[in-house]
Amino acid sequence: MPRISLTLVPAVLVAAVLAGCANTKEDPTAKWTPDRIYTEAREESSSGAYDKAVPLFEKLEGRAAGTPLAQQAQLDKAYAQYKSGEKVQATATLDRFMKLHPASPALDYALYLKGLVNFNDNLGLFSWFTRQDLSERDQKAAKDSFESFRELVTRFPESKYAEDSRQRMQYIVNSLAQYEAHVARYYYERGAYVAAIARAQSAIKDYQGVPAVRDAMVILVKSYDALGMTQLRDDADRVMKSTFKDDSELKLSGDKTKTWWKLW
């Protein structure tokens, strides 16, 4: 077995250290001012290079710690994470910001951005192809988004983000109601009328005043009829006709092409 001369060991160690130093990547921002880091980070973010912007914002958080610029860096980092699809990281960044800066004048924006992170309308470019809306996907994300928007409009009703938040809340509520209607319809079409009635009643009780309730009422009437429960059927039909005077036909809606801001 070949042996390594002990006299060579120090030389080998020195060479390894030097190689390691040579391979150590210099930080190009080491001598940059916080303002320059922020400018560079904003430029990367504006050009869509969010993967390059995030580490710059992180550097700025450390360099400008305790200043308004560091707070801005946190918010901009959260936005860059959101735009790059890193929803978990964006949410964590925003939660940290709100915990550290509960009195920040940008708190309304932080809540709005947190709502956007979990908001997914998916009714744009591919909606005509998928025919799928938010109500058929992640209900937890929808509820988390709603809570962020609700807190925003409750605490900051005059915020410039409040009106858009209210509209998105309306969309989310209808989507959650439509989810219950989807499930009720699923049970109805398979002859599970008791289960259909339970889900339809849930939509009607929990999400009053939204368009999806009409479908729930239709399923309720049809399910009672299928079970031969004529009195309950007639009562439900009477409520439906008084509530939806211009749209009380016992026909389920099939239109899923509306955009969220044209919900009503």
Side-chain angles (χ1 to χ4, degrees):
M1 181 181 293
R3 294 184 179 182
I4 299 175
S5 173
L6 294 178
T7 59
L8 294 177
V9 172
V12 171
L13 289 175
V14 171
V17 171
L18 291 174
C21 292
N23 291 329
T24 300
K25 196 172 182 181
E26 276 192 31
D27 181 0
T29 72
K31 296 182 180 180
W32 290 7
T33 64
D35 285 339
R36 182 179 174 187
I37 296 176
Y38 182 66
T39 298
E40 295 286 340
R42 290 281 293 180
E43 287 180 358
E44 295 289 8
S45 186
S46 297
S47 66
Y50 302 112
D51 58 327
K52 295 179 180 179
V54 169
L56 287 173
F57 285 128
E58 287 176 343
K59 286 183 184 295
L60 184 57
E61 282 187 73
R63 301 269 183 92
T67 69
L69 190 59
Q71 294 184 35
Q72 186 62 51
Q74 268 190 289
L75 292 174
D76 287 341
K77 182 179 75 170
Y79 178 80
Q81 290 170 326
Y82 155 61
K83 293 297 287 184
S84 60
E86 298 177 348
K87 294 186 175 183
V88 174
Q89 294 89 330
T91 299
T93 298
L94 290 166
D95 284 341
R96 179 169 173 268
F97 175 87
M98 289 186 281
K99 182 178 180 179
L100 292 175
H101 313 291
S104 170
L107 194 61
D108 61 336
Y109 172 73
L111 287 167
Y112 179 68
L113 184 54
K114 187 177 178 182
L116 288 182
V117 168
N118 289 304
F119 182 86
N120 190 353
D121 60 350
N122 198 30
L123 297 176
L125 181 61
F126 299 107
S127 63
W128 59 272
F129 177 75
T130 63
R131 291 294 187 269
Q132 183 187 51
D133 62 31
L134 183 149
S135 63
E136 296 171 309
R137 297 199 308 278
D138 189 353
Q139 301 304 299
K140 183 180 184 305
K143 291 176 181 179
D144 289 345
S145 179
F146 181 88
E147 285 306 310
S148 296
F149 291 134
R150 183 192 62 77
E151 185 175 356
L152 167 61
V153 300
T154 301
R155 296 179 61 182
F156 308 101
E158 302 304 319
S159 167
K160 65 180 179 180
Y161 307 107
E163 182 54 34
D164 186 69
S165 296
R166 292 187 186 97
Q167 292 185 43
R168 290 176 189 272
M169 287 170 67
Q170 289 178 343
Y171 172 82
I172 292 169
V173 169
N174 191 65
S175 293
L176 293 174
Q178 194 64 50
Y179 171 76
E180 295 297 329
H182 282 317
V183 177
R185 183 172 185 169
Y186 173 87
Y187 286 134
Y188 172 78
E189 291 176 347
R190 285 156 182 76
Y193 303 120
V194 174
I197 289 170
R199 297 309 287 257
Q201 287 177 332
S202 177
I204 295 166
K205 176 185 176 183
D206 297 336
Y207 304 103
Q208 297 179 19
V210 296
V213 170
R214 195 201 72 85
D215 277 359
M217 289 295 302
V218 171
I219 293 167
L220 191 63
V221 173
K222 286 178 172 288
S223 295
Y224 281 140
D225 186 59
L227 291 172
M229 304 172 76
T230 55
Q231 183 61 54
L232 290 174
R233 177 203 63 196
D234 292 344
D235 290 343
D237 187 52
R238 185 161 50 252
V239 171
M240 180 176 176
K241 287 178 178 176
S242 64
T243 306
F244 303 97
K245 297 181 176 61
D246 299 325
D247 191 18
S248 60
E249 184 181 357
L250 290 179
K251 181 179 179 182
L252 292 170
S253 172
D255 180 16
K256 292 188 181 181
T257 61
K258 295 179 181 178
T259 50
W260 67 268
W261 61 85
K262 295 181 180 177
L263 182 62
W264 306 107

